[in-house]
Each structure stands twice: as C-alpha cells, then as structure tokens.
Amino acid sequence: MLVFLAALHDVGKFTRSFQALAPEHWPAVFGQFRGRIGAPRHDTLGWMILSGKLRADLEACLPGWGDRQLDPLLRAVTGHHGRPPEEDAGRLLPEIFCPACERAVRDLLSDLRSLLAPPPVARPTTAEAKRLSWLVAGLVNLADWIGSANPPFSYERSDAYDLPAYWALAQGRAGEAVAASGLLPATIAPAGGLRTLFPDIRDPSPMQAWAETVALPAGPCLVLIEDATGSGKTEAALLLAHRMMAEGRAGGLFFALPTMATANAMFGRLGASYRRLFASGTKPSLVLAHGRTALHDGFRSSILPAAPPTAEVGEEGAEPAGPSCAAWIADDRRKAFLAEIGAGTIDQALLATLPSRHAALRLLGLSRRVLIVDEAHAYDPYMREELCGLLRFQAALGGSAIVLSATLPQALRRALADAFAEGRGGDLVGTAYPLVTVVSAAAAAEYPVVLRSASARRVAVRRLPDADSVIDAITAAPADTAIAWVRNTVDDAIAASDALRERGREVILFHARFAMADRLAVESTVLARFGKRAHGPRAAIVVATQVIEQSLDLDFDLMVSDLAPIDLLIQRAGRLWRHERKARPVAGPELLVLSPEPVADPQADWLRKLLPGTAAVYPDPALLWRSARILFAAGAIVTPTDMRTLIEPVYAKGADVPVGLQDKSDRAAGKDAAAAGLGRINVLNPEDGYCRGNDGWEDDVRTPTRLSEGHVLAWLARMENGRVLPWASADSPARAWALSEVSVRANRLGEPVLDPALTALVEQAKADWPRYLRETPVLVLSPAAEQWWEAGVRRAGGPIESVRYRRDSGLVFPDRRRLVGLTNS
C-alpha cells in the first residue's frame, strides 16, 4: 500500500501548468500552446487532485478508510519536497487541471492498482495515521532525492516499455542507486559489553557497570543519566545505545552536543571506536553535523569516493582504518541522520521539531537512531521547549533517547520525562546522586548509582572581589601551572588576555570571534595541550568564553571563573584535576570566582557594577546572587554530597529574591516565560501530523533554533599584489573564503568603509560567489603595528572607527570594555 501511495507523489505534474514548463514537450491533447500558466507548485496540485477529484478512486483502493486516515498520508506523499502542501491554494481550475489531465491521472491510478495490487489494510486510528505521516513524508522525500540525484534513472521512451516491464527495470536500478548512496544498513555487532567496545577500559565505573547489566523496558525508552564530570557517562551512553541497536530497536546513534567545538571533539572520540558497534567487514558511516563541517579536515578526509552506481556492498576494498562516511550522505547536513553514527550540534536535531524544510527527513533518520543529548542543563527556556519537543517526537515515532548531565535540576528532569511519556515526570521523586532515570510509556524507574571513587572530591572555592585580585592570583601561581579563566563575554576575555600578556604571561585566547581558520587552530591547540591525550607543555593560561565549560575533555590545575549560575560553575569546576597525573604544581583543586560579595540586601547594580558583561549575558541578577550566596557559604564543591544541595535551592520555585534585585529578576522571568511560550508555539506536534499548521517551512538556514541577538557573518580579507584575497589560505578559493568568515553581533559591526578603487576590487573578488553571499560584508584588513591588522567601519551614520584583528586575539572593536576593576590597565 505504501509503494502504491508513493507512486502517486508526482500526480501534480499531470496538469497543464506543469507541462507548460517544457513547451517543447507540450502534449498534443492540450491543443495549441499559449504560454506559461500561473498555478501552485506541483506538490500542492498533487494534494488538491488526490484529496479532491480522485478521492473516491483512492477510497475504492482502501476500503474502510476515511478522510481522517487518508488525508495525513496524502499530504505526506505529495509534500515530498521538504514541506507539506499548501491547504488554501484555491480551486483546481480547468485551465490547470482539464478533463484530459483527469483522464490521465485516472489511467495512472488504474495501471498502478493493477501493477502493485495494494492489499486491503486495516484502517488505522486517526492518531496513528497522523504519526505515521511524518515517517512517510520523510521516506518519500528520501526516495525522491535518490531517484532524482543518481545516474541510473535516465529517461526511457514510453513506447519502448509497458509499465510492468519498466517497473522491473526501475526496481533493479533502484537497488543500484540505494547501494551507491550508502544507505544500505551496516550489520550491527552483538552486544559484547564494555570490554568489547572499549578494550582500554580495565576498571569500569559504577555507571558503566550499571549500563552493561540493567534490564531495559520493552519499546521506546528514555534514559536520563546524572553523574559527575569525568565519570564515564559518554561510554555508558554508548554501551546502552549499542545494546538497543543489537536488540533491533535502532540502526545507529546520534550524539547531540551544545557547540561546534564539542561536536568536533565528539567526532574525534567516536572515530576511534564506532566500528566496534558493527560487524567486521561492514562500512558504517560516521557523520559530523553542524553548519561548518566542510571546514573540518578530519571529516573531509573521511568522505569516501562516490560509489559507482553498479557497485555491490563491500566490493570497494578493505574496511577503512579510520572514520568514513558515504559521499552521498556527507554532501548535505539534512542527510546527517541517515548515517549510522553521527555527532553534531543539537541544533541539527532540533530542526526536526521546527517547521523547516526537510524536517520530516530528519525525523525519519532520528526515529531509527538512539538520540544521545549531552549537557542537557545547558539550554535556555526556548531551547528547552525544543528539546522537549524532540523527545516527544522520538517517543511518538518509536525511537529511544539518552540524556546526560552532571547538573540537572529536578524540575527539568521531570519536564523531560513528561515530554517523552506524558505524566511520568510526576513519578520522579529520587534525590540520590548519581542517579539514572528510565522512562517508558509503561513506567518510570529511578536507579541510584555509586559514584566513581576517582570522581569523589572536594574543590575549594574562593571569591575574588575584583580583576586586580584575579590577575594577582594567576600570576602568583607556580610557573608550570595550567590555568583556565572562563569569562562570560568575548570582550571581557580579550581584556583579560591583554592584561595577562602585559604581565609577560603566555595566554591562549579561545572565543567565537576569530576567523574560522584561526578558531579551529586555537581549538586544536587547546585540545592538544590540555586534553586527555595532551602532549607538549601544559604551562599556560587559557582565557576562554563558555565554549570550554562543557563536553570538552580538558584538564587544568587551577580554574578561575566569572560569576555564573551555580550549575555552570560546577561544570567549569569539572575541568579541574580531571585526569590522573603524577604530579601537580598546586596543592589541590581550587575554583576562584570573580564576584561581588553576595550581601543580604544587594542594590540593583550589585552585579553590573563589577561585571557589566555578565549582567547582559545572565539577565537575572537574583539567580547569580543565590548562586554566589550558597556557593561561598559552602566554601567548596563536594562531589557527590553537594550536587543537589547546591543546585536545587538556586532553581527552586519561590527561591529568595532580594528587594533590590526584584525588578530585574521579574523582567528576566518575564522574558524567560515569553521565550518558553514562543518555543511551545514554534515546535511541531507529532499528534498534528505532517501539515501546514505552523508558519514557516523555510530552508533550515533561515529557521533559528536559538533566540539571541542577531549575528551576521563577515569575511576577513587582505590585499596582495593588487588583489583582494581571503584572510585564510586553502586548497580552493571557496574554502579559503569560508575559513575567513567571522561571526559578529549585527549592532557591533557596521558597514565597511572602502574607497571606490577598493570597492571595485572587492566586487571583483565576489564575482564567483553564490548570489546569496554577495551581500556579505568584507573587511579588507591592512597591516598595523605588533602583528595587528585593521579596517575601517562606520556604524549608523557615525564617524569612521577602526576595528582590529590579530590571529591570537580575534576581532576587537574600539568600544570594547576595559577590564573592570583592574587599576593598572
């Protein structure tokens, strides 16, 4: 029945308006060609035909089915270009769909019914049909892509074959096309336990041992793992996912992470072990999914040569030694979830829950993958609604999910459980730590787990009142100390770096306002020097923004942080003494926090006076006041005993709000509520079925997964031999320009100031760019003193200002804040 319905996906082309797109093939039965005909797209026309004049014919093929069961599937098969058909496209006028068109469609319907003989199928419930429509839409979208993009499907003369003969030919070609695309599933290895997947782990953690032996409920399930940083949560999640795969619940997994840097790091970790999930001799694909995967050398080098259309599975040669990905899957991030294994930003998965083009294709792939979400606490109210929507879809479409966090508030744990299985969140009462929660449609169960002995520790906490004190503390540390200072804004990170460099210290600055080539180089340096397999000197200071606070496996001797919400401070402290080392230059792990004193009656400017950037990033000062008050009163972060007692009072409903901070706290709460409400409005509902109920359905690059101040991309360029060239060098101009992009808040950048001659050279450089990129601003940098480069910009009709760039500092604006409280800066 499904093949029969899918064969009708293009009946919208049986119209005068579509046939008019190729006047040279205008059917004689239509009479004289009189020009193009304005009409809806052919996918919408197909829906109008099948749900209108052909409905009685279809219902005869599906006895007992009514509108409520048939319509969701008709929308799914006709809306095969990534979005559902329009519902209010007007009437099907005779100049669009004439009697000759109708006869042709009826003939097709009759021929397909004879050829495919769809058997009677029991009528599903309306809810079942609506849930099924998402998968059918994704499947027909995928089938249409394969059929359109692969060489086996050349046009054939209709007088050379009757329909049964062509059907046999097409089935053979389809097999070739699917094999060439890399979509044939790799055979999953039997679950062999932790030692099979990770032979280097000789002493499993309690969490890993639990994952190896726990009895999982039947059907889709959600596993929430709360455990300390460095406790082996990633390996436990992979072990659980492999068990689900081996039981036939999934064909692979996708690891969703908060940032591009963490996705890149996870891609590297998976590359070393993912083949053990599959039988020897198979070639599963490992994909990296985010907006800049084309710039990741490791992923680019893993893409296999395009398979010839007639290739048989396994005939290309020996199993690759490293990670590999089928070329057809790798060429578009919307196909990422079709790879057996994937790592990417959570945004790529969240797009499946929003009315973006090809959302159904993403859902189809995810429904056959175990979705693993790391750092679930890290998202704002809008993204939390998207995450709940994603879990709701995963459960509705038969998929399972694993959620990881070291610092998950109880309210969020219950919300995630409710999203996956309505009503199960209220069953959760456990307060143990570590804790695993397993949720299915039938029940919710909580499993206290023993903490790994190496994770039990006490991190001393000390407040520093101003930036002078921070600089003094850092410079007073032994010279061979690995130090990190996490700042809450890019401007503050640059200012701190400048101040430390003035003291003669080596600083590695890591933030998002670098050209992509320089950002990737810094990321690689940080991982190489402070990661699990670090090599080279560790004695340096990393000044970074929030990019290092989660998912990156980094290890420092001393940690400094600007004040932040308590769960994020615990995450940052998790980068202290993370790996076993023979010796440390300091006596014990310590977290130094730059913070105002959390007095009992703070004034309205309590936070902004010392940390104006932090006040902009975290707009609820009462949340930070509670975090500071409870943390400094404790004087330490003790794992595991302090995890709940530090976090819950900060996030509890009705928590303390000082009078002086009440107004700003109320405004922040209002914005959070509005963001959550907007998330609930925007997120698709699996129970609605695949339809145009929501606005949007734009391309994924125009569908935001995050609410934030608008950012724009700019290209950095330089002059060489009278030409404007990209800042970065690469093996092609397109890649060089992509590596030269930098993301900047729109209200900071302004317009580049270029004289007429330079304007002409910039336009010449843009000549080969895609049209949609030609409006991107280009900053043509000129050399300045001390390895700086600079360019002129003008904002909102103001004076010309100089922006500066240096490879170890990033893009610097003239109005950036100095380091507040630093007297010698």
Side-chain angles (χ1 to χ4, degrees), residues 123-209:
R123 184 179 71 179
T125 66
T126 301
E128 288 169 343
K130 287 183 175 181
R131 287 197 296 271
L132 179 62
S133 68
W134 296 102
L135 298 177
V136 173
L139 179 64
V140 177
N141 186 166
L142 174 59
D144 193 66
W145 269 9
I146 297 174
S148 301
N150 280 274
F153 296 100
S154 57
Y155 284 102
E156 302 289 351
R157 292 182 58 84
S158 57
D159 57 7
Y161 298 91
D162 61 14
L163 193 59
Y166 180 72
W167 174 235
L169 176 70
Q171 284 180 296
R173 290 177 174 176
E176 297 172 6
V178 172
S181 68
L183 289 176
L184 292 177
T187 303
I188 296 167
L194 189 71
R195 291 299 299 271
T196 301
L197 288 185
F198 305 102
D200 293 338
I201 297 179
R202 299 181 180 179
D203 183 20
S205 71
M207 186 62 71
Q208 292 163 351

Side-chain angles (χ1 to χ4, degrees), residues 19 75 86 113 170 294 338 418 474 486 522 598 601 636 660 679 728 761 800:
Q19 296 298 318
R75 291 188 186 96
E86 296 177 41
R113 191 174 181 185
L338 304 176
D418 273 334
I474 289 175
V486 182
V522 172
D601 55 346
L761 290 174
I800 296 176

